[in-house]
Amino acid sequence: MSDKFIINPTGPLRGDVYISGAKNAVLPVLAATLLTGQDCVVQNVPRLSDVESMCGLLASLGAGTQWDAASGSLIVRAGGLNLCEAAYEWVGKLRASFLVIGPMLARLGRAKVPLPGGCAIGSRPVDLHLKGLAALGADIDHTHGYISVSAKKLTGAKIYLDFPSVGATESIMMAASLAEGQTIMENCAVEPEIVDLANFLNAAGADIRGAGTDTVKINGTRELRGVDHTVIPDRIEAGTFMVAAALTRGDIHLTNVMADHLKPVTAKLKEVNIHVTETETGLRVYHDPSQEVIAADIKTLPYPGFPTDMQSLFMSLMATAQGTSIITETVFENRFMQVGELKRMGADIKIESRSAVIEGVRRLAGAQVQASDLRAGAGLMLAALTAEGTTELSGTEHIDRGYCALETQLNQLGADIKRVIA
């Protein structure tokens, strides 16, 4: 049994919130620490279940991890890396665990990794990871749910990605950093987390240019050194609190944010009559009571388009907006799993292929609902803040994968959320 959240409606949320380090930046950086035998210090690390799982995986491979609670940093000592096989008990818990395959191959010459787990939001194949590693000279074997890769030497190559996959871009970039010669990747993902990983690798002695564009050039080096690196703020956590301000018609000031990373979210909030202004220390998101929150159409796209991770959160917002909204999901084919639960709360939503048609209602109603994945759970949590009556939300373990005590942060802004321990 999992914990439950008991959520009662409140008025507008107000106050300041500090945004944590980005989960989707921390996980690849932790994988990259396996490329060096020297100690690495990673700052601004959120204490999430996904991060704990990645630490467990690193430890199972022979790398030591140590939290420094005072500074919020994580020390990784991979000098004792001694296993080439990743344990299923860790890899099955999160998708990003597959990212260790490139660093293990580059440093040890071989790796064996189970197919990864994570949220059930649709197909996320690893074929592009393997295509890139094969181009660098790896032999690949796929048997009994495991991927085995080996190479006496990795050699730079020209690689074109059929799709701008974030994970594949990261895997290939890490492996190529220790390959002989130059690697040129085309049609790369351009997410801020890619740039953050490149910054970590370059600080460690890699030679990577073009991260954040669709063409990345990596000149391989013989070895990497230890580094002290601070990860970027979490743009999805920031977006979550921006939607919380909008949904509750509140006024929230976010600190430790990078406004440039939030442009698609900011633009869409402004379109629905939510104000977003930059301050000296962050972003202020607030609602003017004289203006109705109105409907808008949304289409998810790879960065710098509207992020798929924000889709379920905006669906909760559009469920109480004035008018009809259409949300089209183009990234994952199974990411409308929150729709049935929102309908239990009184939302008027119809699914048509990969689009959801949402007729705004005046108010949602509290109900017993289940989080199916991380972002769907966060969207339901925010919807419950404005619902009439009490909402009982189960599946909290999904939410804990991506947020540090989200209920505590929301309560500090005026929410009424209690966690019931199973």
Side-chain angles (χ1 to χ4, degrees), residues 381-396:
M381 199 169 180
L382 297 191
L385 295 176
T386 63
E388 187 173 301
T390 300
T391 297
E392 185 178 296
L393 173 59
S394 55
T396 61

Side-chain angles (χ1 to χ4, degrees), residues 33-95:
T33 63
L34 299 181
L35 289 164
T36 176
Q38 298 182 12
D39 293 359
C40 292
V41 179
V42 187
Q43 309 275 3
N44 200 30
V45 180
R47 200 75 182 256
L48 306 170
S49 61
D50 269 11
V51 174
E52 296 284 6
S53 294
M54 182 62 91
C55 289
L57 173 58
L58 297 184
S60 74
L61 297 170
T65 60
Q66 178 184 340
W67 286 96
D68 185 337
S71 64
S73 62
L74 184 63
I75 303 168
V76 183
R77 298 182 172 95
L81 188 66
N82 53 24
L83 285 182
C84 298
E85 182 173 338
Y88 178 78
E89 66 174 298
W90 297 113
V91 177
K93 292 183 178 181
L94 72 159
R95 177 94 190 155

Side-chain angles (χ1 to χ4, degrees), residues 246-323:
L247 233 169
T248 65
R249 312 311 193 249
D251 188 343
I252 297 177
H253 183 241
L254 291 75
T255 59
N256 191 41
V257 294
M258 299 184 75
D260 284 351
H261 296 172
L262 295 163
K263 284 182 178 179
V265 174
T266 295
K268 196 56 64 173
L269 285 175
K270 289 181 177 179
E271 185 178 329
V272 305
N273 284 339
I274 296 297
H275 297 267
V276 182
T277 59
E278 291 192 41
T279 69
E280 290 184 4
T281 55
L283 287 177
R284 180 189 174 201
V285 185
Y286 64 98
H287 172 246
D288 181 346
S290 68
Q291 295 179 306
E292 288 279 356
V293 175
I294 59 174
D297 294 341
I298 294 169
K299 183 177 183 180
T300 65
L301 291 166
Y303 189 87
F306 189 89
T308 180
D309 279 349
M310 290 298 303
Q311 175 258 106
S312 60
L313 295 149
F314 265 78
M315 183 175 288
S316 293
L317 176 59
M318 293 299 93
T320 59
Q322 186 180 71

Side-chain angles (χ1 to χ4, degrees), residues 64-180:
T65 60
Q66 178 184 340
W67 286 96
D68 185 337
S71 64
S73 62
L74 184 63
I75 303 168
V76 183
R77 298 182 172 95
L81 188 66
N82 53 24
L83 285 182
C84 298
E85 182 173 338
Y88 178 78
E89 66 174 298
W90 297 113
V91 177
K93 292 183 178 181
L94 72 159
R95 177 94 190 155
S97 58
F98 196 77
L99 291 172
V100 301
I101 196 169
M104 291 167 63
L105 172 66
R107 184 156 164 220
L108 302 177
R110 56 197 176 95
K112 185 177 181 181
V113 181
L115 289 172
C119 285
I121 56 176
S123 175
R124 294 188 283 181
V126 297
D127 57 320
L128 293 180
H129 298 243
L130 302 180
K131 175 182 175 181
L133 297 179
L136 296 174
D139 294 320
I140 297 172
D141 182 48
H142 181 190
T143 54
H144 305 297
Y146 278 79
I147 302 291
S148 296
V149 295
S150 61
K152 292 183 179 180
K153 182 179 71 171
L154 296 179
T155 305
K158 191 167 186 177
I159 301 168
Y160 180 87
L161 297 179
D162 298 329
F163 175 82
S165 161
V166 174
T169 301
E170 292 168 341
S171 279
I172 299 165
M173 192 163 66
M174 287 188 283
S177 67
L178 290 182
E180 184 179 293

Side-chain angles (χ1 to χ4, degrees), residues 359-396:
E359 296 284 349
V361 298
R362 289 197 63 84
R363 190 155 191 188
L364 299 173
Q368 289 187 334
V369 291
Q370 169 81 35
S372 58
D373 59 77
L374 167 56
R375 306 305 175 185
L380 291 170
M381 199 169 180
L382 297 191
L385 295 176
T386 63
E388 187 173 301
T390 300
T391 297
E392 185 178 296
L393 173 59
S394 55
T396 61

